[in-house]
Amino acid sequence: MRRFVLLLGAGLIASAVAGPMKIPEGEPSANITIPDKWTVKTVGEGVETTSPDGAVHFLVTPGERKVAESMGEVMRYIRATGGMTVDPASLKRDDGKLNGMDVKNVSWNAKDKKGEMRIRYHIVSMPPKRPLLLVSWASPEAEKKHERELKAMLQSFKKI
């Protein structure tokens, strides 16, 4: 498994192979374990990973203090890369915990040229630092197929 350390202080992202890891200078915020076979690319200050079949996308990115603006930026990115239309009436919100951290969950149904999609945001409070957004988008079938990997990534997410 690859480990990605999200560094918020300088807006840098450092990655390391699992095992002994030196944390670069700066102020690390959290880490997450990505499945070995998933592709990974840097997107702005964040990291996007995609399942081997290209059916599931998972993005981890720092948010701004005004989380709605960050969510809007991510939604524009998703629409631009996936050509999706979002059903605003399908909006669902709830508060919860993720590995002991406060999290706001927000989701929508959407459509792309292939059919039905789901977009899920997990907004993790990281006081006193900026919040982190964990965002996934996939068809319901792809979500089910990769449920184990998605759960494992969320369960691996930890504050540093």
Side-chain angles (χ1 to χ4, degrees):
M1 296 291 225
R2 295 183 190 132
R3 292 186 82 75
F4 287 89
V5 180
L6 304 176
L7 302 174
L8 296 179
L12 301 173
I13 297 176
S15 64
V17 177
M21 179 168 57
K22 290 182 183 177
I23 298 173
E25 288 185 34
E27 229 178 294
S29 179
N31 65 37
I32 188 167
T33 303
I34 307 296
D36 287 334
K37 294 182 181 179
W38 287 46
T39 59
V40 178
K41 70 178 182 177
T42 301
V43 177
E45 292 182 89
V47 174
E48 180 183 350
T49 185
T50 307
S51 61
D53 60 4
V56 177
H57 298 265
F58 190 90
L59 175 72
V60 180
T61 189
E64 299 301 327
R65 298 274 179 223
K66 294 182 179 180
V67 174
E69 289 177 17
S70 300
M71 290 177 67
E73 288 176 26
V74 170
M75 190 65 80
R76 283 187 290 282
Y77 173 76
I78 293 170
R79 286 180 181 163
T81 58
M84 279 187 238
T85 56
V86 177
D87 175 7
S90 68
L91 172 67
K92 293 181 184 169
R93 299 175 193 220
D94 66 39
D95 294 335
K97 295 279 187 184
L98 176 64
N99 303 328
M101 297 172 277
D102 291 331
V103 64
K104 293 190 181 299
N105 300 303
V106 183
S107 65
W108 289 270
N109 294 328
K111 288 185 181 180
D112 71 0
K113 60 186 171 204
K114 295 178 186 173
E116 299 294 318
M117 299 289 285
R118 288 194 186 124
I119 302 169
R120 299 183 189 276
Y121 284 73
H122 305 282
I123 303 141
V124 183
S125 295
M126 303 292 283
K129 300 173 185 177
R130 297 188 294 171
L132 289 177
L133 281 67
L134 290 75
V135 186
S136 64
W137 61 100
S139 69
E141 297 81 21
E143 248 185 1
K144 187 172 183 168
K145 177 181 177 184
H146 294 283
E147 181 178 17
R148 186 175 46 84
E149 294 105 322
L150 288 166
K151 281 184 179 180
M153 283 190 284
L154 288 171
Q155 290 171 347
S156 75
F157 184 81
K158 294 184 178 103
K159 269 192 209 185
I160 293 179

